[in-house]
Each structure stands twice: as structure tokens, then as C-alpha cells.
Amino acid sequence: MALSVVDSSTSNNLSLIPSFLYSSSYSNLKLNHINSAAADGMVYNQKKTAASGGFLVAAPSEPRKKKIELYSPTFYAACTTGGILCCGPTHMAVTPLDVVKCNMQIDPAKYKSISSGFGLMLKEQGVRGFFRGWAPTLLGYSAQGACKYGFYEYFKKYYADIAGPEYAAKYKTLIYLAGSASAEVIAGVALCPFEAVKVRVQTQPGFARGLSDGLPKIVKSEGALGLYKGLVPLWGRQIPYTMMKFASFENIVELIYKYSVPKDQCSQSQQLGVSFAGGYIAGILCAVISHPADNLVSFLNNAKGATVGDAVKSMGLLGLCTRGLPLRIVMVGTLTGTQWGVYDSFKVFVGLPTTGGVTPPAITELAEV
């Protein structure tokens, strides 16, 4: 028989308390009674709250889920927001390259090469000179990106519906071209005033500090239409650029998935890598096809009263096609690849599939946020 040794002080203290209060059976009984009463009270309070028209807050572990229906107004709003995020900040980030490129186009005798152009700009204008025109660049290309991506998704669906499923699949590249061209007509109108200010601020030292004083200065000297005198050349640059950007990207991405790993077997990070690679290749093609018009835009916005004929006469056909092209290939290739990466990253963030290739079977009509 085992003996239990209890401290005398402990034994004396326990003897002063009725045994039923510290016995295990009573403690369990009391605890069950308390829990039961608390539960009854919660149920009563919930019923009372509901009866009085109150509300209950959902538990943090059960967040409300929203859904974005493909091709709904919310879907197009998400694509528009993605366009703003991928175009405005990325164009602003390459402002130093853009400043040197524009000056090489306007004054090739002074800015003879990329390296000498950077060195000369740094010597004459300092580091701040490389970021001249950042404000019209940010705002202008944010507006352009919103229209470009938002309306591209809209027109792509619109033309596909007109063509019907069979012809939409058969002539999908034509639908990409038509949708992107339609979107860029609108996007060019949004960009044009900011582009006019940007070019002058970057190529005419002393013209203005930026958008706030450059915009009213042009309006005062040339009227509001002076902001749009470069619209047709801008369309000539941007429409072929955008058509190449979207149509080539869609086809390149489709080929990558076709000859490597199917899209529905790729992780999200792999799909975003494909978006960047497809965008970079598309950007190189974009730079080549749109470069003559880019030279025209820079020339016309820099020379008051100049015409397209003046630009061709001054620069020559060869100069129109090649002046500043190597730098623009680097700039536009990197820019376009990054834009597609950012755009599709945002789409993934809000629960939408990445652009191009076959949409995964799991995502057909609705995307969860």
C-alpha cells in the first residue's frame, strides 16, 4: 500500500476549505456549468441582436470573396488599372534613355552616339537633366496605358463576337490587330498633349521646367490645337507599334506554350516569365516598325510650323528609319517586356488569368479575388 506524504501547512490550509470545492469532480462540474451558461448567453445575445435589427461581424478566418466575371465592367476596369500601372511608371523609369534618344534625333551633329550623348547631357545639364519631362511622361503614358489595355480587351472581345467562334479562332491574328489598332486611336488622343510638352521640355533647354508651365506656354503661343499638331504622326508611330505589340505578343506566347509546356501545366511564376519573354521579343519588333514615325514626332514637336516633308528633307529616309534606333530597341524591348510582366502580374493579383495562350480550364467564366 502506497503512502501519500502531504506537507502539514498544505494539509492545514486545505482542511479550512470544504472538500467539495477543490475536488476534481466538482471542478469539472462547475466548469461545464459555466461553459454551458456562457454558450446559452451567446445564443440569447445573437437572437436578441438579430431581433433588434443589429448585425454580426464575420470572423476574420472567413473573408468575403468577390468574383470578377470575364468581360464584365469590373473586368475591363481591372484591365484599365493594369494598363495604368504597367505603362506610366515604366515609361517614367526610362526617362534618361528617352531624353538622350530625343536629343539624338533632333541634333545628331551634337549627340553623335549613345555614350557621347549621355556624357554630354551629364556635363551640360547634370543629373537632373536626365529626368526632364518626367511628369508629362508619367501622366501621359498612364492615360495612354489605361486606354490601350482597357480598350484592347474590349475591342478584342467585340470583334471576336462579330466574327463568331469559328472565324474568331481562324483569323485570331486579324482580331488582335483590329482590336489593338482601335484601342490605340483612343489612346493616342489621350497621350498627344503630354507628348508635345515632353518633347519640348527634353529637347529645348529653358523652354519650361515641366508640365505645369510647359502646357500653358504651348496653349498660349499656339492655341489648344497646338497640343495636337503631332497627333497624326503620333498615330503613325503608336498604331503600328501597338498592333505589333499585341498581335506579336499573343502569337509568341501561344508558340512558347505550344512548343514547351502547356499553359495549364505552368505555375503562375512561369506564366509571368513567359509574359516578360514574349513582351521583350515583341518590343524589339515594335521598335523597328514604329521608329520612322518616332523620329517624325520628335522633329515636328521640336520645330514650330514644320511639316512631314520638312522632316523627310532634313533627315533623309535612311536617317528617318535609323537615327537613334539602337537605343530605342534597348529601351522599347525592355519597356515592353516589363509592361507585359507588370500587367499580367496585376491580373494574377486580382485573380484573372495571364494574357495569351490557352486559358486554364479552371478559369473559364469567373475569377476569384
Side-chain angles (χ1 to χ4, degrees), residues 158-169 171 175:
Y158 178 74
Y159 292 136
D161 288 343
I162 292 176
E166 181 182 353
Y167 288 106
Y171 300 107
I175 289 175

Side-chain angles (χ1 to χ4, degrees), residues 319-342:
L320 202 64
C321 296
T322 60
R323 186 179 295 176
L325 181 59
L327 182 58
R328 191 159 186 266
I329 286 176
V330 174
M331 185 181 80
V332 174
T334 305
L335 195 67
T336 307
T338 304
Q339 285 177 355
W340 276 114
V342 172

Side-chain angles (χ1 to χ4, degrees), residues 201-217:
V201 169
Q202 291 178 344
T203 60
Q204 296 180 11
F207 170 75
R209 294 188 306 274
L211 180 64
S212 59
D213 56 340
L215 184 66
K217 194 170 184 178

Side-chain angles (χ1 to χ4, degrees), residues 300-320:
L300 294 177
N301 281 319
N302 186 67
K304 186 175 181 179
T307 64
V308 173
D310 295 332
V312 175
K313 183 177 179 180
S314 174
M315 302 175 70
L317 287 176
L318 183 61
L320 202 64

